[in-house]
Each structure stands twice: as structure tokens, then as C-alpha cells.
Amino acid sequence: MGREVKHSKYSDLDRKILLHFFTNLDKRVFIAKNMHPEIWAFLQAQYSRSKEGLRERFLKTLKKDEDTYGKLCLAAENNALDKIELIRAEEKAQLFLSKWGKKYGHGSIIEGAVVGIGIEDISIMEAKIIEDNRLSSFTEKSTRYVNFGHGRFSVPDEIIGSDYEQEYIDTIRYLIESYTRLNEMVLSHLKKKIPYDETGDIKAWERAVRARCFDAIRYVLPAGMKTSLGWTVNARELEHAITKFLSHPWPEIRKLGREILEESEKILKVSLEFAEPNKYMISTNRIMQDIVNGFAKAHGVSEFENDIQSDVELVNISNDAENVLLSTIMYRYNERGMSYNECYKVIKDMRRKDKERLFDEFMKRLGPYDTPMRELEHVYLTFDIVIDFGAWRDLQRHRMCTQTKQRLTAKYGYSIPQDIIDTSYEAEQIYKNAMEKAGALSIKLSKHYPEASALIIPLGYKMRYLVTMNLRELYYEGKLRTSPQSHESYRNIVLKMCELAKQKMPLLMKYIKLNFDREALGRLKQEQQALS
């Protein structure tokens, strides 16, 4: 049993004060509360250079400011600690972070300052650019559970006052009207196709049917529709993200970056000092398109043709992946101090049945909710994927992957959800007319406003992106994204990814858990659990 921390040295008032900011005084594990994020970052950073415990250091910091400490003692006596602000402690923390985090280059210490950011009334496209930050947690308004027929959409500044402004507005309104009409038609069709089973919960059935309907009609929503998101991020990652936003080629993102910086600095007073436009990013983004297109033309690459041979291609995989992974397993568990090269030589010479046994013993005890151990991360795969923008929005959440996407355009055409086709000929025509109208305007806009032109494009249009992931991530993505409640579009993509990987390394893909079942209402079980 772990050693308990002595706290007899604390007076009764000190104990009351400390318990307002920490969950306990006598255990080796405790949680901070009611504390400014930069104060926590300051306290956490001092672990590296102090013999004292964090709670002791915090109390010592408070006592150095007699005025604040006196107010805290008085508040503790009157059970009013929640009314005291630690202004001096914040200033001390900010001075420390500014000096050591910035002046002396110890940027990691500001990672201890974590903030929650709410961002509302932004376009879906802007949300996707914000969410292209790996070390963060995001929750965005869902097109599966929320009716987007509200009519709120973004009009980029560069479109306002241009010859295309009214056509842009009229087209988005047409898309929203189509969404609303399809909502009624597809929902009515699904309720007839999948009638309520009186043995179940009618509310769960209604929610599941509505979710399937929204999954189909979301395809007609433009990327310029307004949405909202919550963002939890540490100060170091936030500083990097804001720098990217301020350096972005699209004015709307630069404007949003300035707004995020302005609000964040109200809390993180010193942690974002270097969040500013980056000359390297700006100049590189400005010239690379011309350089790359020049090389392509010089090598005889023709103009774009919508001739997609396959929507999923496995374009790269770790060399000798099987032996590499088995060598890392041996490397971890051997007690002879073997180097990687020694392990690799043993594995290379090993009989086939012994290789299979080694991998089986490593993987066969996986339970339904287990994640394979990290040795699988030594094997990498890269896929080139053509996918509708709506489905990519879901797969983008796998931020452990390295993703490179091309600009969203109308060049690759669009998908037509089967539920819209099955609803009626009229529903299919409403959908096609809306998609064609939006695609035609996007092509016109792209000649003058390449970034803003993407906002008129509906989620059903296809795009191309490159994704590199390790084998452990593929195991996770394969299990999660092939479940019955998954959207059919990305589910089919992930199944193809796994099949291609299995062809290249059948042994290493042996234990991946894929779900090939089809359920009429994939969300029904989850809705029943939510209501139980």
C-alpha cells in the first residue's frame, strides 16, 4: 500500500483552503479544482526542480502574498472561499511561464494549462479546419441527431458584394429547402419500411429512424451551413493551432484565428505570446500550388478527368511488416537484453508455425473491448481514398492518423444515398437537382474564390485524401467504423481498407474485429440503452 502524505503540519484554516483547491491532503493521488489553468501549469512545471509536494508549494505561494492569504483565511472561516480570486498567484504563475516557457524555450510547461473553448455560428468547413489539430478533444453538432433545416449559413466576406453573392445565397437556400423536403419524404418512407415493433420502446424507434433519415439527407447540406463545437486543448497546442489559423490562405480562417486568440488571452494571459502569423507557412502555401502544377504539366499529366479506378488504394506499407512486428514483440519480452537486430535475425530464421504461434499468443486473449498492445504501432500503412465529404468528416476524428486532404471541389462527383433512391423517383430528382445546382456554382466560384467556393458544395460530394496510420489504429478504426450503427459510406471504405491490408499481411490482420452484419436501424440498441 502506498505511503500516505502527512498533513498534520497544516493549520485548520490551511486545510480548509487547500481542500477548496484539491480533492484531498493525505493521498498520493489528488485532483486540482477551482484553479486557474496557468496556476496549475506553474505548479506542475515546478515538479522538475522542487523537493516539495505540489500542495505544499501552492500554500507557500499563497502565503507570500499576505493580503490574499489573509482574505483566504477570513473566507475559510466564513465558508466563502469560492468568492476569492487568486490574482497575485495568477500573476506569479504567468511571470514564471513567460520567463521559462518562452524566454528560455521550455515550451512544454504551458501544456499543463488546459482550456475549454466554445465556437458557435461557424461553417462546417471552418469546423473541419479547426479540428485538424491532433492533440485536442472536439465535440461538434451532429448531422445525425440535429435537424439542420434551421436556415443559418455562412456567406464569406469575399463573396459579399461580388457578382455571385445573390446566386450563392439563393443556391444555399435551395439546398436547405431540398433538405427539408427530403426530410419529410425519407422519414415517411423509412417509417413504412421499418415499422415500429410494439415490443420495443417507441421513443427509441423514433430516434433511430430519424437518425437514419438524417444520415441520408445530410448529403445535401452545404459545407457553408452553420454549426458549433466544443474544443478542449492545452495552451501549447492552442498556440500552434492559432498560428496555423493566422497563416491560413483563406481570410475567413484568419479572422476566426484572431477571434480565438482574443478570447483565449483573457484566460491564458502569457501562454500564447508566440501565436502570430508564420512567414514560413504563408509563403510556402502561396507558391507550392504553382510549383507542383508546373511539374505536373511538364511531366505530361493531363487535366483532371473524373476516372476513379478505385475509391481505396493501399499505396504504401511497412517493409517486411510481419517480421518487423514479431521482432518488436520479441524485443519487449526477451530477458536476455537482445538488440532489435538480434531479435530480427531470430524472427527471420524462425519456422512459419512458430511465427504464427508467437503472434497468436500475443493477440488471442483480446476481449471485445480491448485494444491491442502498442507493438502494433511499429507497422504503418498509407491509403489513398476517395470518399464523400460527409463521411470524411467522421474519419477525420481519427487524429492519431496523419491525414493530407485535397481541396474540396465538385470534380469527383457525388454519392446518392440508397435511402433517397428507395424513397421515390421524386426524392431522387430533388436530390440530384440540388447537387447539380450547387456543383455548377462551385465550379464558377472556384475560378475567382478557390477557398470560399467549397462552402457551396454539399456533403455528398466526393473528395480525395491520403491517410497514414499504424496497424493498432487500423484495428481500432476497423472495429469502431464497421459496427451496425456506422454510416454506410465510411463503413464500406473502412472494410475495403481492412481487406487490402489483409491481402498484404494476413497473419497480422488475423485478430481484427470487423462487423459485416446489416441492421435496418443500427442506432436502435443505443437509443434503447439511452432511454433505459
Side-chain angles (χ1 to χ4, degrees):
M1 185 174 177
R3 173 182 64 86
E4 289 197 347
V5 181
K6 301 291 185 182
H7 62 88
S8 56
K9 56 188 172 184
Y10 300 135
S11 68
D12 289 343
L13 284 178
D14 285 349
R15 292 189 64 205
K16 277 190 174 183
I17 291 169
L18 287 173
L19 286 171
H20 179 70
F21 294 102
F22 301 99
T23 54
N24 69 72
L25 304 183
D26 54 2
K27 297 179 181 178
R28 61 180 183 174
V29 177
F30 54 92
I31 308 295
K33 56 181 181 173
N34 303 319
M35 189 175 293
H36 188 282
E38 285 182 324
I39 292 180
W40 171 256
F42 161 66
L43 294 170
Q44 176 178 285
Q46 289 188 320
Y47 263 131
S48 68
R49 296 172 183 264
S50 175
K51 296 179 181 179
E52 294 178 306
L54 187 146
R55 290 164 290 196
E56 287 78 13
R57 293 199 311 277
F58 177 66
L59 186 62
K60 182 179 289 186
T61 300
L62 295 179
K63 288 184 175 181
K64 286 181 180 179
D65 176 14
E66 294 181 2
D67 182 55
T68 298
Y69 179 66
K71 290 179 180 178
L72 282 168
C73 289
L74 184 61
E77 289 177 339
N78 294 286
N79 296 317
L81 282 165
D82 57 329
K83 298 179 181 179
I84 300 296
E85 294 185 18
L86 304 181
I87 297 174
R88 295 287 175 81
E90 289 178 23
E91 291 174 348
K92 182 177 178 64
Q94 288 155 3
L95 181 63
F96 176 89
L97 295 176
S98 180
K99 177 180 178 180
W100 293 99
K102 301 302 178 181
K103 185 176 179 180
Y104 295 115
H106 297 289
S108 62
I109 65 175
I110 65 171
E111 293 175 8
V114 176
V115 293
I117 304 173
I119 305 177
E120 301 178 353
D121 276 342
I122 58 171
S123 68
I124 290 175
M125 179 59 71
E126 288 171 295
K128 294 303 101 186
I129 293 171
I130 291 171
E131 290 169 21
D132 184 25
N133 286 285
R134 176 173 287 161
L135 303 179
S136 300
S137 174
F138 298 98
T139 299
E140 184 185 346
K141 184 182 295 184
S142 172
T143 54
R144 170 175 278 181
Y145 303 114
V146 179
N147 189 328
F148 272 71
H150 49 60
R152 295 192 300 278
F153 55 89
S154 176
V155 182
D157 288 344
E158 57 264 53
I159 299 293
I160 296 174
S162 73
D163 295 339
Y164 296 100
E165 179 181 1
Q166 194 57 49
E167 186 178 3
Y168 175 93
I169 292 171
D170 291 343
T171 301
I172 286 198
R173 285 176 175 165
Y174 184 79
L175 292 171
I176 295 170
E177 179 187 344
S178 301
Y179 174 89
T180 302
R181 292 176 66 191
L182 288 170
N183 186 24
E184 296 177 3
M185 299 169 74
V186 175
L187 186 60
S188 175
H189 161 72
L190 290 174
K191 285 183 175 181
K192 293 174 183 175
K193 179 180 179 179
I194 316 166
Y196 167 60
D197 178 358
E198 294 187 2
T199 62
D201 188 311
I202 190 168
K203 288 184 178 180
W205 171 79
E206 288 175 346
R207 289 183 182 182
V209 172
R210 192 178 301 114
R212 176 164 169 174
C213 174
F214 284 154
D215 270 354
I217 66 174
R218 78 174 188 179
Y219 277 63
V220 82
L221 287 173
M225 286 299 290
K226 291 287 185 72
T227 188
S228 304
L229 63 86
W231 181 11
T232 303
V233 60
N234 73 60
R236 193 182 197 185
E237 177 74 358
L238 178 59
E239 182 182 63
H240 175 62
I242 293 174
T243 295
K244 290 197 299 182
F245 302 154
L246 296 177
S247 310
H248 200 277
W250 188 23
E252 295 290 320
I253 297 301
R254 298 199 295 271
K255 177 182 176 182
L256 183 58
R258 290 191 293 271
E259 293 176 26
I260 295 172
L261 177 60
E262 180 183 352
E263 291 303 311
S264 299
E265 285 184 324
K266 293 177 181 179
I267 301 298
L268 303 173
K269 302 291 175 63
V270 300
S271 299
L272 306 176
E273 287 183 83
F274 293 157
E276 57 189 17
N278 181 280
K279 292 181 181 179
Y280 158 70
M281 294 181 186
I282 294 170
S283 59
T284 302
N285 286 330
R286 185 178 295 141
I287 68 171
M288 285 308 298
Q289 190 170 358
D290 289 340
I291 291 176
V292 168
N293 288 332
F295 279 131
K297 184 177 181 180
H299 284 76
V301 179
S302 60
E303 290 294 322
F304 177 88
E305 295 181 4
N306 189 3
D307 183 23
I308 302 170
Q309 300 297 320
S310 174
D311 52 3
V312 182
E313 293 182 81
L314 177 56
V315 296
N316 195 20
I317 189 171
S318 295
N319 290 330
D320 202 14
E322 184 177 295
N323 286 334
V324 166
L325 176 53
L326 294 177
S327 297
T328 63
I329 295 171
M330 175 168 277
Y331 184 92
R332 173 177 177 177
Y333 290 103
N334 89 85
E335 295 183 350
R336 298 174 181 270
M338 296 167 65
S339 70
Y340 174 81
N341 285 334
E342 289 173 321
C343 293
Y344 183 82
K345 186 178 184 304
V346 171
I347 295 296
K348 191 83 171 174
D349 296 337
M350 192 177 282
R351 294 177 302 175
R352 184 66 194 170
K353 67 176 184 179
D354 290 333
K355 289 184 178 183
E356 291 174 355
R357 182 188 168 208
L358 179 61
F359 189 68
D360 286 343
E361 291 296 334
F362 186 67
M363 297 290 290
K364 69 182 183 182
R365 297 169 187 84
L366 276 171
Y369 304 107
D370 292 333
T371 300
M373 296 187 196
R374 294 192 66 175
E375 281 61 42
L376 272 69
E377 294 179 11
H378 288 282
V379 172
Y380 278 86
L381 311 95
T382 299
F383 297 93
D384 189 5
I385 298 172
V386 177
I387 189 172
D388 65 77
F389 181 60
W392 172 78
R393 290 167 64 240
D394 295 307
L395 296 186
Q396 186 206 22
R397 297 172 188 167
H398 295 270
R399 284 182 290 276
M400 284 297 293
C401 304
T402 299
Q403 304 185 37
T404 301
K405 79 175 187 68
Q406 296 179 355
R407 180 181 293 151
L408 179 63
T409 70
K411 292 178 180 178
Y412 291 101
Y414 56 85
S415 302
I416 307 177
Q418 191 62 44
D419 280 337
I420 290 179
I421 295 173
D422 293 344
T423 294
S424 66
Y425 175 77
E426 180 186 2
E428 185 177 351
Q429 292 307 118
I430 290 172
Y431 178 80
K432 287 182 176 179
N433 290 341
M435 301 297 276
E436 295 291 342
K437 186 178 181 69
L441 177 57
S442 174
I443 292 172
K444 288 196 294 184
L445 287 174
S446 65
K447 298 174 183 178
H448 308 282
Y449 314 104
E451 298 290 343
S453 66
L455 270 69
I456 199 70
I457 299 178
L459 305 189
Y461 268 89
K462 298 176 182 178
M463 55 168 281
R464 186 184 286 278
Y465 88 111
L466 196 69
V467 57
T468 298
M469 64 179 64
N470 61 56
L471 182 58
R472 189 180 189 219
E473 174 66 18
L474 183 60
Y475 262 70
Y476 171 74
E477 195 165 323
K479 181 171 69 172
L480 179 67
R481 298 300 180 183
T482 63
S483 61
Q485 63 265 34
S486 298
H487 195 288
E488 197 66 15
S489 179
Y490 65 67
R491 189 186 200 207
N492 290 335
I493 291 291
V494 173
L495 284 171
K496 291 179 182 179
M497 292 165 62
C498 293
E499 179 57 34
L500 289 172
K502 191 175 291 187
Q503 291 172 13
K504 293 290 185 180
M505 43 186 192
L507 175 60
L508 303 190
M509 291 292 289
K510 179 178 178 180
Y511 289 93
I512 193 167
K513 295 179 172 64
L514 304 178
N515 194 319
F516 296 93
D517 295 338
R518 292 290 189 271
E519 295 181 10
L521 292 178
R523 289 293 309 170
L524 184 58
K525 292 178 181 177
Q526 283 69 29
E527 296 298 346
Q528 289 170 337
Q529 291 171 357
L531 291 170
S532 62

